[in-house]
Amino acid sequence: MVLPVETTSRTELQRRAQALSLRFEGADASVVLKAALTELFVGRIGLVSSFGTEAAILLHMVSRIDPYVPVVFLDTWKHFAETLAYRDQLIERLGLCNVQIVTPRPAQLEADDPDGDLHARNADLCCHVRKTLPMLSALRPLDCWITGRKRHQARTRADMQLFEGEERRLKLNPLIDWSAGDIAAYFRENDLPEHPLKSAGYLSVGCLPCTRAVKPGEDARAGRWAGTDKTECGIHIVDGKIARAVG
Ligand code: SF4
């Protein structure tokens, strides 16, 4: 039986992801990153960053290896002003030379979200238009993209691997096993500034209309799309499907 090309290539990517995950099992995040940036995917790898509360770690690591590596920031035009200010602060502080600010297409917004309130009516479609489509376009030249996702953040992330095969490229999650303590220590040891909203209880920061501060005892991501079953923005694809709430 001849498998469809897409399926074959996805299987190949998943095999490669498994092999790389095995090869780098237990390695420090900075070691994996250095290998990915300087050996495995030279010139074909980028970091997608939300410039959220933990983003400074990967931005710092990448900037120390190669500040010209592309850093993609999805500007949904719904961010907190504090996030945009933090983004600019980190770009300057870390000397990032290749931050690509990607925005939704005006024609697409005009068609799907003319009044800017789609997030309240259909958050999945809003994320699709404001995040997923612009991101897929930004990732087109890349063979691998780096994310800051961690297993401890949500049940939907518990099974993720260091390298994952997605539709047409690999995804690298160097901080997969980092705990809250590891994160705090890295900020401290490298004197990294905190996101300005963190001290107000925003432990995970997304778009303004879809993020609230978390209450004591809640998960870090409990303030994202609170009160709905949505837990991911749709830029992460699992088994060929957009990641959604599980359980
Ligand atoms: S997080 Fe909210 S405002 Fe931002 S793109 Fe998704 S639904 Fe729209």
Side-chain angles (χ1 to χ4, degrees):
M1 185 177 102
V2 179
L3 292 172
V5 173
E6 255 191 44
T7 307
T8 305
S9 89
R10 195 183 301 149
T11 304
E12 277 308 309
L13 275 174
Q14 284 168 350
R15 273 204 204 109
R16 193 167 177 214
Q18 279 171 7
L20 286 170
S21 295
L22 206 58
R23 173 177 162 190
F24 289 100
E25 194 176 352
D28 282 351
S30 56
V31 170
V32 183
L33 265 182
K34 187 161 185 189
L37 296 175
T38 65
E39 177 199 327
L40 298 170
F41 307 103
V42 182
R44 307 278 302 169
I45 184 167
L47 167 64
V48 175
S49 180
S50 65
F51 287 83
T53 52
E54 298 168 355
I57 296 172
L58 282 178
L59 291 166
H60 179 260
M61 287 182 182
V62 165
S63 74
R64 292 301 166 267
I65 300 167
D66 181 357
Y68 287 89
V69 165
V71 173
V72 176
F73 173 70
L74 302 171
D75 190 346
T76 61
W77 293 334
K78 293 285 182 187
H79 283 295
F80 288 87
E82 288 87 344
T83 297
L84 303 182
Y86 186 55
R87 175 196 66 191
D88 295 343
Q89 179 189 13
L90 286 177
I91 290 172
E92 191 176 332
R93 172 84 168 263
L94 302 176
L96 296 165
C97 300
N98 191 4
V99 175
Q100 301 175 2
I101 297 174
V102 179
T103 60
R105 286 193 185 166
Q108 190 98 44
L109 284 185
E110 188 55 39
D112 290 320
D113 194 9
D115 299 321
D117 60 355
L118 185 59
H119 60 86
R121 295 181 284 111
N122 186 338
D124 280 343
L125 182 58
C126 184
C127 281
H128 185 68
V129 169
R130 291 179 184 271
K131 292 184 176 178
T132 311
L133 292 179
M135 192 196 72
L136 289 177
S137 162
L139 292 185
R140 204 165 286 141
L142 305 180
D143 290 338
C144 181
W145 61 293
I146 305 160
T147 90
R149 297 186 310 152
K150 298 152 204 87
R151 282 191 178 128
H152 77 86
Q153 287 173 319
R155 273 184 297 161
T156 47
R157 296 185 174 185
D159 294 331
M160 50 186 250
Q161 302 300 313
L162 180 59
F163 283 88
E164 295 174 310
E166 264 188 5
E167 295 297 286
R168 292 183 185 162
R169 57 190 60 79
L170 292 171
K171 183 157 67 175
L172 167 58
N173 310 299
L175 306 182
I176 185 169
D177 286 324
W178 280 43
S179 66
D182 297 329
I183 292 160
Y186 194 92
F187 267 81
R188 217 171 32 246
E189 284 158 17
N190 294 284
D191 194 25
L192 294 173
E194 297 276 13
H195 190 292
L197 289 174
K198 189 170 179 199
S199 57
Y202 290 81
L203 301 188
S204 173
V205 182
C207 295
L208 187 155
C210 304
T211 308
R212 66 156 170 79
V214 300
K215 297 167 193 149
E218 281 186 328
D219 285 346
R221 288 179 62 84
R224 307 288 298 278
W225 304 284
T228 76
D229 72 348
K230 185 171 167 66
T231 59
E232 299 279 0
C233 58
I235 65 171
H236 298 290
I237 297 168
V238 177
D239 293 336
K241 300 188 191 83
I242 287 174
R244 293 284 286 122
V246 175

